[in-house]
Amino acid sequence: MFRKGYVFRPWENEDAPPLSRILSSEKFWEFLPEEYSGELNANEALELIKLNASNSNHFIRAVEFEGELIGQVRLEFDQEHAELSYWLDINHWGYGHGSAMVTLFLYESTMHYPELRFVYARVHEKNFASARILTKLGFLRIAEKDDLPFHYFECCLTKPT
């Protein structure tokens, strides 16, 4: 499996400078629900890290590959459902990291949250790579919601054996 080289861990204050660099790229925001609001300095990135750490409805992990911060994976809980979201540093697009990150994170999430059965994700209509990742993992595109330009995908999880 993809395990070698990937580390999922809580965000740390020392992550502020690389997080600032990643989030300051306008291209990074192309498929996200939030709009690009300009460059982010390290202090602002540190505030985001602290904000995420204080939210009990989220299970968020920074993702490292071979010691380098490359992205984030997150579940936001709503009773028995959770919304999956993830992002990847644009310098790492196209290398299979998105697939590996989501696969490993969902596997580990079923271990941490055995009661979790349904996961959904919003995907920008032009983010074909993300739609492929989710489809490959068994997510199905579900009925449209009034949230264009996003499509919704859902998956019923099974516990790992």
Side-chain angles (χ1 to χ4, degrees):
M1 198 160 156
F2 306 105
R3 181 113 185 68
K4 190 172 182 157
Y6 290 94
V7 174
F8 295 80
R9 59 169 178 75
W11 283 97
E12 300 168 352
N13 292 347
E14 296 76 28
D15 294 324
L19 179 61
S20 170
R21 179 192 54 77
I22 293 167
L23 298 182
S24 289
S25 165
E26 187 170 0
K27 183 175 175 75
F28 170 85
W29 295 91
E30 183 177 0
F31 300 125
L32 296 178
E34 300 86 6
E35 291 186 19
Y36 176 68
S37 60
E39 289 191 16
L40 193 75
N41 66 44
N43 288 333
E44 293 166 323
L46 182 58
E47 289 305 312
L48 282 176
I49 290 169
K50 290 177 182 178
L51 180 67
N52 283 335
S54 69
N55 192 330
S56 62
N57 282 348
H58 293 198
F59 178 55
I60 301 174
R61 291 293 179 252
V63 182
E64 288 183 359
F65 179 70
E66 296 181 349
E68 182 180 357
L69 178 65
I70 64 166
Q72 173 182 284
V73 286
R74 176 186 137 255
L75 287 177
E76 181 176 0
F77 295 97
D78 176 20
Q79 297 172 357
E80 65 185 33
H81 293 85
E83 179 183 11
L84 168 70
S85 61
Y86 52 94
W87 55 256
L88 185 62
D89 180 348
I90 64 168
N91 295 320
H92 295 277
W93 288 3
Y95 295 99
H97 293 300
S99 261
M101 284 172 31
V102 174
T103 300
L104 290 167
F105 183 66
L106 287 176
Y107 178 82
E108 290 186 15
S109 295
T110 59
M111 307 275 266
H112 289 293
Y113 301 98
E115 70 283 358
L116 182 61
R117 289 292 170 254
F118 295 99
V119 174
Y120 69 94
R122 288 183 294 168
V123 177
H124 191 281
E125 65 187 358
K126 293 182 181 176
N127 192 343
F128 305 117
S130 194
R132 274 193 309 273
I133 288 168
L134 295 173
T135 302
K136 184 170 72 170
L137 292 175
F139 281 73
L140 300 174
R141 189 167 158 198
I142 57 176
E144 296 299 323
K145 297 187 179 190
D146 293 332
D147 194 15
L148 294 176
F150 293 91
H151 300 295
Y152 283 76
F153 291 77
E154 186 174 60
C155 182
C156 179
L157 299 177
T158 57
K159 288 172 79 172
T161 55

